[in-house]
Amino acid sequence: MANQFDALLQENRSFPPSDDFRKQANVSDPDIYQKAAADREGYWAGWAKELDWEKPWDKVLEWEPPYAKWYVGGTLNASYNCLDRHLEERGDKTAIIWEGEPGEVRKFTYRQLHREVSKFANVLKSVGVVAGDRVAIYMPLIVEAAVAMLACARIGAVHSVVFGGFSAEALRDRIQDAQAKVLITATSGYRRGALVPLKKTADAAVAECPSIEKVIVAMRRSATEEADETVSMTDGRDLWYHDLMQSASDDCPPTWVDSEHMLFTLYTSGTTGKPKGIVHTTGGFLTVAYATCKWVFDLKPNDVYWCTADIGWVTGHSYVVYGPLANGATVVLYEGAPDWPKKDRFWELIEKHKVTIFYTAPTAIRAFMKWGEQLPQSRDLSSLRLLGSVGEPINPEAWIWYHKYIGNERCPIVDTWWQTETGGIMITPLPGITATKPGSATLPFPGIDAQILDEKGNAIEVGGGYLAITSPWPSMLRGIWGDPERYQQQYWSKWPGIYFTGDGAKRDEDGYFWLLGRVDDVMNVAGHRIGTMEVESALVDHQLVAEAACVGISHEIKGTAIAAFVIVKEAGRELATNDPAKFEQELKNHVAEKIGAIAKPEKILITADLPKTRSGKIMRRLLRDIAEGRALGDVTTLADPTVVASLKEKYEEEA
Ligand code: WT7
């Protein structure tokens, strides 16, 4: 990347908060870390008290590792906390500013959103959804998606949002695993000027989902109000969202649920082929989403807050819907791509809606860098006052560029580390307190015990190791849907009673955390988690593939891209040799069909053999070396070292 930042980077500069920012920040007391650590339960009780409870808890925490209960005996409702409690003071304030990709804008005040959610909650009741039922949501980023989530929460139903970019098979697997009763989808959504046919994909999935009783379909109208009428509706199963809403009452008192009542499940990739349904409960999740929004983003009622994540990811749960709305902020939702119709769409949105807080991913920032600073420079971004980053380590070059060209050297940057499992931000600067260093997520949020441990569980004060969380926190996952064994094994078996994150990290002399990436077989492609096994299973599913191995390789924009090594069956040899480009494309499309476009390998290498240890384990480290064109590491544990050499040659030939 450009060397223009070398000076800034070499100085190993840190960026302390400005006096102005410190003075107005929601939290500016540097002793808050000690105070929280001295009485962790009292501190987290303090946060929960900022929410509205129907009945207060009897006990803050019950901890029987690895099972935690927070705010035991308390009852509340998440949608009440996001909507009803704001009505008196700011009912006419804008809750959501939505912009569709074609450019249409819809605004909802808190009162209007409350009405929509209440009506849709009654719709859900009318089709037989009761508390505890799972409801799958497969939608584009339209207001109805947020309404659907909040309506589930209102009646105590458990939502399971599936990213709209996932394939029919991926949707089917998630619906089947959760045994969802109802699916909420939309006709389509806009992406780069084209309609993505969600309903069609949903139909293919639901054909194999006997648990689904009803499918509710929101109509995605175009900017000119034209209906997308390309879909077919199945009699007795499919219902129009707008029809049901028309006759629904807007009076739906919230169902008060236990603090530990399940709020949602969200599927994420792990080290095995099958994605796991991460379970989050109401009181603890909402408390952390609310608290981190307030302190990390310094969220105030007059902020216009935009997190670019899709609701299909955990970021869309904690930091598009629940956290900002629980704080009573104005949330921007944008349906489409950042480069449509032009590569300055995000800057245009910030200028137009006067966004004050902007939260996005390093992969997007690297794309913006490539498109050039002229684009943001020709827009008025002066409304911005804070920037955030999430999803993968942010490289210092991207950090500095973000700081300089988006934040105008004025806005603090919060690099936030967390996971689907943690429910909320765990390691992050506090913008009024923490001096930031480009590339470091800095320090654990007050009340969070994060440490670097070695294999045996010894703490490493300065240096590298595994990132662990050593005390329970309110928004920690409560389990994996239907698989308690795997919950125990995956997160709690490395060190008893300590949560293993799957990430490597190091700490510097100032105690700052620097994230180093996954230490398991999970890849982080453009901020999305994808298991190597998942992609390998998808490839092996192709009729001409005998064996496959995937590794993450570094990529200029995505951070990590997927390289796949494939052994072709006899029947496929001809196609693979005569037209390798066509064959590679066919395999990529197959993966997209099985999982979704985000899992497409960047590069597929056809090989006669794979490097394996004597015990038959694929040596991914070597594959990575080959795919990234590095000199080969130690090969003495290989069953047949020549396999590697020939692989490397082949790869170099292709490159
Ligand atoms: C994995 C979790 C958390 C919301 C989005 C992803 C990586 C996430 C950072 C960061 C370095 C990060 C980790 C983590 N990650 N944020 N700021 N710096 N790495 O959620 O899909 O559950 O993925 O994303 O590797 O384990 P997720």
Side-chain angles (χ1 to χ4, degrees), residues 268-269 313-315 319 359 362 389-394 414-422 424 427 439 441 501-504 514-518 522 524 527-530:
T268 188
S269 294
W313 312 112
V314 72
T315 311
Y319 300 112
Y359 188 32
S389 172
V390 62
E392 48 175 321
I394 178 166
V414 290
D415 172 12
T416 60
W417 178 90
W418 59 296
Q419 308 177 297
T420 305
E421 291 88 340
T422 69
I427 304 181
T501 62
D503 275 7
W514 299 74
L515 276 300
L516 302 173
R518 303 288 307 192
V522 171
N524 188 328
H528 301 314
R529 227 160 113 171
I530 299 165

Side-chain angles (χ1 to χ4, degrees), residues 17 21 27 29 32-33 295-296 414 428-436 442-446:
F21 203 95
V27 54
D29 170 12
I32 189 64
Y33 292 96
W295 278 7
V296 176
V414 290
T428 175
L430 292 177
I433 299 174
T434 319
T436 51
T442 75
L443 301 167
F445 188 78

Side-chain angles (χ1 to χ4, degrees), residues 275-290:
K276 43 194 185 188
I278 302 300
V279 170
H280 282 290
T281 57
T282 309
F285 171 83
L286 197 64
T287 298
V288 175
Y290 169 83

